[in-house]
Amino acid sequence: AATGGSTTVRQVKLDKECELRIETSLDSPLRLRLLTGTAEIFGTEIPPEIWLTIPPRLKFAVFTWYGATIEMDGLTETDYTADETPMISYINVHAVLDGRRNRAKASPSDSDTSQGPRVVVVGPTDSGKSTLSRMLLSWAAKQGWKPTFVDLDIGQGSITIPGCVAATPIELPIDPVEGIPLEMPMVYFFGHVTPSANIDHYKVLVKELAQTLERQFSGNAESRASGMVINTMGWIEGVGYELLLHAIDTFNATVILVLGQEKLCSMLKDVLKNRPNVDVVKLQKSGGVVSRNAKVRQKARGYRIREYFYGPSNDLSPHSNVVNFGDLFIYRIGGGPQAPRSALPIGAEPAADPTRLVSVSINRDLLHLVLAVSYANEPDQIISSNVAGFIYVTDVDMHRKKITYLAPCAGELPSKYLIMGTLTWIEN
Ligand code: ADP
């Protein structure tokens, strides 16, 4: 691309252990290629010579261990070279994890020793948790392991749309443009972007996910030895901290990586001091991590949902479908109308079970909601079932009693049971 006659193609020479930090422009993609040397994007090596097209609004770094020349074509929001990165400490962690995977692989498959490292990445929002998780997974996959990526961050979601807890095996280094492959994720729908909407429900889903993975690992020595990398939420105070501990317990974590927070690290070291098999390690936050305010994060959620329906490079075409009200059964979990205090016996507290299944009657309130399609065969299995995918309600015709929705593909939904939360999206 050329603007005003001046070319935008330029070359950047990177010395060893340096990175080129880039924020692509808000509206146009950037073309980039490796001319000499070797380089990686968040743990995944980039091929020599071949032009990569990086979509708009992406913040990333091209890092080189031994030196490289990068060529860029297009305008960026920012790009600069940094020679101070925490990458050495990150790759050292990888080396330790790798040793543990090898030990697990060499152990008899029926004991605890055959379990590879279970790594939990914690830290405040924008400390680089998702990025570190990604690097550890890609480095492991490069070496032939099949680690499981678990994402408990319902605020953003690297595996699927926000509002979910999810897991997926990583068999190849993660593609810097396409992201996590979506062939076989295990997804549980929470339906809200903060756990405070229903703490008990969130915990139930984390537990369901952990148990499902545990069952899968018991029959799969390879993924068991490869272990897990678990990304968590940036909420680390009060209830957020309790939920971190809950996740550490539920997944039987063996390594806790704390990014950029002294206090959180010492708190975790203290509560976990009686568990000799759990290591708490403090790691430096990268200076390249870009802070995002609440508005930017909200926008990012919208893009993520858009990506689900339209693909990361706008290469998918979702289908608009119409069904009768009677063909769908919509539920939400917990909350909802409670018995007023005055209707209860004196002294009794209104007991609304936060994990109670509530049937939702179809009306215009469903407009613009993102609903999950449950794999449940019966309503009472909904809370413990993972989901097949999502639909987006684009019209509710009360007159004809018909719902119009967007789905990734045409045809009948895999189930008539839908789960509703507060997750909305305005298509634009
Ligand atoms: P967290 O998961 O802790 O909220 P992320 O890992 O998502 O943080 O990082 C926040 C943003 O910063 C992301 O857009 C990520 O791509 C970007 N980022 C992380 N590390 C770097 C880096 N070294 N250079 C440029 N951008 C980075």
Side-chain angles (χ1 to χ4, degrees):
T3 41
S6 71
T7 174
T8 58
V9 179
R10 61 225 181 267
Q11 291 181 4
V12 180
K13 199 177 161 309
L14 290 173
D15 288 333
K16 77 181 213 337
E17 290 162 28
C18 290
E19 68 184 20
L20 173 61
R21 294 174 180 161
I22 302 174
E23 283 188 52
T24 52
S25 112
L26 298 179
D27 41 33
S28 61
L30 173 76
R31 294 194 330 134
L32 180 150
R33 66 174 173 165
L34 173 68
L35 282 184
T36 66
T38 54
E40 56 184 50
I41 297 179
F42 297 154
T44 302
E45 272 194 77
I46 55 177
E49 302 284 342
I50 297 168
W51 283 104
L52 302 177
T53 303
I54 316 281
R57 294 182 308 271
L58 212 75
K59 305 164 185 27
F60 69 105
V62 185
F63 177 86
T64 177
W65 292 105
Y66 305 109
T69 313
I70 309 296
E71 189 166 52
M72 285 190 282
D73 175 12
L75 300 171
T76 63
E77 201 63 16
T78 55
D79 59 84
Y80 68 97
T81 305
D83 57 6
E84 264 179 53
T85 78
M87 292 294 278
I88 300 265
S89 60
Y90 294 177
I91 198 88
N92 286 340
V93 168
H94 163 72
V96 172
L97 299 177
D98 207 45
R100 294 194 183 181
R101 291 185 182 110
N102 279 317
R103 245 180 296 154
K105 194 179 172 185
S107 301
S109 61
D110 56 344
S111 73
D112 265 1
T113 52
S114 67
Q115 173 60 58
R118 295 182 167 197
V119 185
V120 177
V121 183
V122 306
T125 331
D126 298 330
S127 54
K129 294 181 297 300
S130 321
T131 306
L132 176 60
S133 304
R134 198 176 173 132
M135 290 191 277
L136 294 174
L137 289 160
S138 289
W139 287 330
K142 186 182 169 189
Q143 253 146 313
W145 300 107
K146 292 182 179 166
T148 301
F149 179 33
V150 178
D151 197 3
L152 304 180
D153 185 2
I154 51 175
Q156 294 296 325
S158 327
I159 297 179
T160 182
I161 66 166
C164 300
V165 295
T168 188
I170 301 295
E171 307 193 335
L172 291 170
I174 298 164
D175 187 290
V177 177
E178 297 293 321
I180 313 271
L182 278 182
E183 282 113 52
M184 36 183 168
M186 170 74 56
V187 182
Y188 288 86
F189 186 64
F190 178 60
H192 316 277
V193 295
T194 160
S196 47
N198 190 337
I199 304 282
D200 292 284
H201 182 204
Y202 179 79
K203 284 187 177 171
V204 167
L205 297 184
V206 169
K207 209 165 160 196
E208 286 293 340
L209 179 61
Q211 285 170 347
T212 306
L213 291 175
E214 207 73 65
R215 277 196 298 276
Q216 290 182 351
F217 288 148
S218 68
N220 187 335
E222 191 181 21
S223 53
R224 194 170 157 79
S226 298
M228 302 189 232
V229 176
I230 302 163
N231 183 33
T232 61
M233 288 178 286
W235 187 23
I236 53 168
E237 312 272 329
V239 179
Y241 177 70
E242 299 300 321
L243 290 175
L244 277 185
L245 295 181
H246 176 257
I248 290 168
D249 273 343
T250 310
F251 283 94
N252 282 316
T254 54
V255 180
I256 322 290
L257 302 177
V258 189
L259 274 170
Q261 245 243 8
E262 208 83 50
K263 183 178 150 208
L264 179 62
C265 184
S266 70
M267 281 166 76
L268 288 171
K269 274 196 169 138
D270 198 50
V271 295
L272 299 167
K273 64 173 179 281
N274 296 326
R275 298 202 211 162
N277 58 337
V278 182
D279 294 316
V280 181
V281 181
K282 200 187 82 177
L283 288 172
Q284 205 194 321
K285 165 183 166 176
S286 166
V289 177
V290 185
S291 297
R292 299 158 295 180
N293 60 30
K295 206 173 158 194
V296 172
R297 268 200 288 276
Q298 195 194 335
K299 271 200 160 163
R301 285 199 277 271
Y303 290 133
R304 199 72 188 122
I305 297 173
R306 182 167 212 292
E307 238 180 75
Y308 174 78
F309 291 105
Y310 290 92
S313 333
N314 224 5
D315 47 353
L316 303 179
S317 22
H319 281 259
S320 188
N321 304 286
V322 183
V323 288
N324 298 318
F325 283 8
D327 295 336
L328 295 178
F329 298 90
I330 305 178
Y331 294 90
R332 60 183 167 72
I333 312 293
Q338 302 177 0
R341 241 167 230 282
S342 59
L344 294 169
I346 290 167
E349 284 298 310
D353 176 2
T355 57
R356 177 174 62 117
L357 191 68
V358 183
S359 165
V360 175
S361 50
I362 299 178
N363 60 40
R364 300 272 305 167
D365 292 347
L366 291 175
L367 208 59
H368 303 312
L369 277 177
V370 177
L371 308 176
V373 184
S374 177
Y375 270 126
N377 295 318
E378 299 295 333
D380 63 0
Q381 297 171 347
I382 287 176
I383 188 152
S384 57
S385 295
N386 58 324
V387 302
F390 311 94
I391 63 166
Y392 172 61
V393 180
T394 53
D395 190 35
V396 181
D397 186 336
M398 295 304 289
H399 225 70
R400 293 207 183 103
K401 300 210 179 312
K402 280 180 192 297
I403 292 187
T404 311
Y405 65 85
L406 207 63
C409 40
E412 216 173 301
L413 293 173
S415 138
K416 55 185 191 282
Y417 297 126
L418 302 181
I419 316 170
M420 168 189 143
T422 52
L423 192 67
T424 55
W425 178 48
I426 305 295
E427 193 180 355
N428 49 17

